[in-house]
C-alpha cells in the first residue's frame, strides 16, 4: 500500500510539474533547462605571470538564467596559482534575457613557478556545460630568463640553418665531394623528409589538427611555423648537397649496401603505414608519428658513417668543420635553453623526463666533439698534407 501511495503521489507530482511547464511555455516564460551550446567562456586561454604577480581575466556569461549558478575553478596545482574569488556567483534573474552579456572578473595570483591547467565546474548542474572551458597558467621566476630563452631559440635556429651551407661552400670551393660520406647524405635527406612531412601535416592539415586536438583537447599545436621552415629548408639544403655529388669529383664513392638496407627498411615502414592510412586502418596522425620516429632513429645513426669514413681515411678533408661548429653551437644552446626553462618554470621533471629530446641533443653534441677531435687532434697532420697536395694541384 505504501508503494502504491508513493507511486500515486509521484504520478500526481509529475502531472503538476508538466502542467507548470505547459503554462510557462504558453506564457512565454523562460524555462531553466540544460544548455546544448556553451554559454560561458573565459576571455583568455593562456596566462603567463611571475611569482607574486597578479593577472586579471574575465569569465564571460552569454544569457541569463532563472536560478543562481556557482562557477568554481578546479586548479591542477593549487600551490602554483590561486584564483580570487575561488567561486564566481552568477545571480539568477526573474526575467532571463537570452542575449545578455555579463562579465565576471577573476584575479590569478602566481604562488610558485610551474605549469598548471585549470578547468571549471558549475552548480547546480545541467544548465551550462563548461567541459571545454579551460586555462593554461604558467608562473615563472624571471621575465629576463624568459626573454633570454626566446633569443637563444632564434640563435640556435639560425646556427642550425646556416650550418648546411658550410658543407655546400667547401664542396663548391674544392669542386669535389671526396671525403663527404654518401650514407650520411642519404640518411639526412630521408630524415628531413620525414620531419617535413610531420611538421607540414600537423601545421597545414585541418583534419590532422582536429584529430590531434581530439586526443589532446587542452594542448597547443606542437608544430610552429619556424619548425616548418627549418625542416623544409634543411631538406632543400641537403638536396643541393646531393646535387653537388653528381656534378663534382666523387671518385668511387656511393651509398653503401648497409645504408641502402637501412633506407629500404625505413621506406618499407612508410609504405606500409601510408597504405594503412589510405585504407582507413590507421589514423593519419599516427602515420605522422611513425615519420617522426624514423627521424629520431636517423638522428641517432646518421653521423656514424661519416665518423667511420674519417677513421678509415685518417683524414677529415672534404668534411666541413664549420658545419660541426655551428651544429655544436645550436645543440649546446638548445640544451641550455631547456635548462633555463626548467629553472624558470621549476619544471625539472619535463627536463629529465623528455629523454628523447635531451638524449638526442647530448648524442649530437658528443659526435660534434668527436669530429672536432678527429679534425684538430687525431688527423691534424694528415689533413695538412692533403690540403697542401690539393693546393698544388
Amino acid at each position: 500500500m505504501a508503494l502504491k501511495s508513493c507511486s500515486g503521489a509521484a504520478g500526481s507530482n509529475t502531472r503538476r510539474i508538466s502542467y507548470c511547464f505547459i503554462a510557462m511555455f504558453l506564457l512565454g516564460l523562460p524555462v531553466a533547462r540544460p544548455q546544448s551550446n556553451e554559454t560561458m567562456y573565459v576571455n583568455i586561454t593562456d596566462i603567463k605571470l611571475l611569482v607574486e604577480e597578479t593577472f586579471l581575466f574575465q569569465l564571460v556569461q552569454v544569457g541569463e538564467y532563472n536560478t543562481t549558478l556557482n562557477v568554481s575553478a578546479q586548479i591542477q596545482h593549487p600551490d602554483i596559482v590561486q584564483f580570487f574569488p575561488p567561486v564566481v556567483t552568477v545571480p539568477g534573474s526573474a526575467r532571463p534575457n537570452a542575449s545578455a552579456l555579463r562579465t565576471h572578473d577573476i584575479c590569478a595570483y602566481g604562488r610558485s613557478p610551474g605549469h598548471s591547467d585549470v578547468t571549471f565546474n558549475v552548480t547546480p548542474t545541467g544548465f551550462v556545460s563548461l567541459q571545454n572551458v579551460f586555462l593554461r597558467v604558467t608562473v615563472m621566476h624571471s621575465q629576463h630568463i624568459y626573454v633570454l630563452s626566446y633569443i637563444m631559440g632564434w640563435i640556435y635556429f639560425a646556427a642550425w640553418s646556416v650550418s648546411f651551407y658550410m658543407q655546400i661552400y667547401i664542396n663548391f670551393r674544392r669542386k669535389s665531394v671526396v671525403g663527404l660520406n654518401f650514407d650520411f647524405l642519404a640518411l639526412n635527406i630521408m630524415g628531413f623528409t620525414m620531419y617535413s612531412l610531420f611538421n607540414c601535416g600537423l601545421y597545414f592539415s585541418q583534419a590532422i589538427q582536429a584529430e590531434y586536438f581530439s586526443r589532446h583537447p587542452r594542448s597547443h599545436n606542437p608544430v610552429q611555423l619556424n619548425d616548418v621552415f627549418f625542416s623544409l629548408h634543411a631538406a632543400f639544403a641537403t638536396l643541393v648537397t646531393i646535387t653537388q655529388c653528381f656534378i663534382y669529383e666523387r671518385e668511387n664513392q656511393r651509398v653503401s649496401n648497409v645504408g641502402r638496407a637501412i633506407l629500404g627498411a625505413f621506406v618499407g615502414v612508410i609504405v606500409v603505414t601510408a597504405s594503412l592510412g589510405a585504407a582507413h586502418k590507421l589514423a593519419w596522425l599516427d602515420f605522422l608519428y611513425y615519420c617522426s620516429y624514423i627521424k629520431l632513429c636517423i638522428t641517432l645513426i646518421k653521423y656514424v658513417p661519416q665518423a667511420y669514413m674519417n677513421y678509415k681515411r685518417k683524414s677529415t678533408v672534404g668534411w666541413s668543420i664549420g658545419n660541426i661548429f655551428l651544429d655544436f653551437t645550436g645543440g649546446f644552446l638548445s640544451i641550455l635553453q631547456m635548462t633555463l626553462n626548467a629553472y624558470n618554470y621549476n619544471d625539472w621533471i619535463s627536463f629529465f623526463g623528455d629523454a628523447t629530446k635531451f638524449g638526442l641533443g647530448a648524442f649530437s653534441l658528443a659526435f660534434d666533439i668527436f669530429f672536432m677531435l678527429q679534425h684538430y687532434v687525431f688527423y691534424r697532420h694528415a689533413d695538412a698534407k692533403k690540403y697542401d697536395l690539393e693546393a698544388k694541384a
Side-chain angles (χ1 to χ4, degrees), residues 91-223:
S93 173
R95 294 182 178 274
N97 182 353
S99 60
L101 189 67
R102 305 281 185 265
T103 60
H104 307 273
D105 290 341
I106 302 176
C107 181
Y109 172 73
R111 301 185 64 184
S112 63
H115 305 277
S116 183
D117 289 341
V118 181
T119 57
F120 296 88
N121 284 341
V122 60
T123 55
T125 60
F127 290 91
V128 60
S129 171
L130 297 181
Q131 183 178 359
N132 295 323
V133 180
F134 65 93
L135 273 171
R136 285 178 291 259
V137 181
T138 301
V139 182
M140 50 190 163
H141 276 296
S142 168
Q143 182 70 23
H144 298 297
I145 295 178
Y146 173 78
V147 173
L148 181 61
S149 172
Y150 180 81
I151 293 172
M152 280 186 177
W154 280 105
I155 292 176
Y156 73 67
F157 171 80
W160 278 336
S161 297
V162 174
S163 67
F164 295 99
Y165 293 96
M166 305 303 292
Q167 186 65 56
I168 292 173
Y169 171 73
I170 196 173
N171 294 343
F172 171 77
R173 184 172 60 83
R174 297 173 66 237
K175 298 295 187 291
S176 171
V177 292
V178 175
L180 175 61
N181 188 271
F182 285 12
D183 285 9
F184 168 76
L185 285 178
L187 290 170
N188 232 11
I189 191 60
M190 169 67 82
F192 285 123
T193 300
M194 296 299 99
Y195 191 35
S196 298
L197 277 175
F198 178 82
N199 288 338
C200 291
L202 261 176
Y203 190 80
F204 293 112
S205 173
Q206 293 184 354
I208 293 177
Q209 287 178 13
E211 194 174 343
Y212 178 83
F213 288 122
S214 69
R215 300 186 190 183
H216 313 283
R218 297 170 189 167
S219 177
H220 285 298
N221 189 333
V223 176

Side-chain angles (χ1 to χ4, degrees), residues 9 65 81 89 119 130 154 192 199 206 210 243 283 288 312 338:
Y65 305 90
V81 65
T89 300
T119 57
L130 297 181
W154 280 105
F192 285 123
N199 288 338
Q206 293 184 354
T243 302
L288 293 183
K312 284 181 62 180
M338 290 175 61

Side-chain angles (χ1 to χ4, degrees), residues 49-80:
L49 67 162
L50 299 174
V51 175
E52 299 185 354
E53 185 180 47
T54 58
F55 185 92
L56 189 68
F57 68 98
Q58 284 80 39
L59 174 70
V60 182
Q61 167 196 350
V62 182
E64 295 176 330
Y65 305 90
N66 56 7
T67 188
T68 298
L69 303 178
N70 293 312
V71 181
S72 58
Q74 307 299 308
I75 302 175
Q76 181 187 17
H77 300 294
D79 58 318
I80 291 176

Side-chain angles (χ1 to χ4, degrees), residues 93 139 250 255 297 300:
S93 173
V139 182
R250 60 176 181 172
V255 178
C297 292
L300 284 173

Side-chain angles (χ1 to χ4, degrees), residues 309-325:
M309 182 178 184
N310 293 345
Y311 165 75
K312 284 181 62 180
R313 296 174 68 235
K314 298 296 186 290
S315 171
T316 59
V317 171
W319 173 242
S320 173
I321 195 64
N323 171 26
I324 297 305
F325 274 119

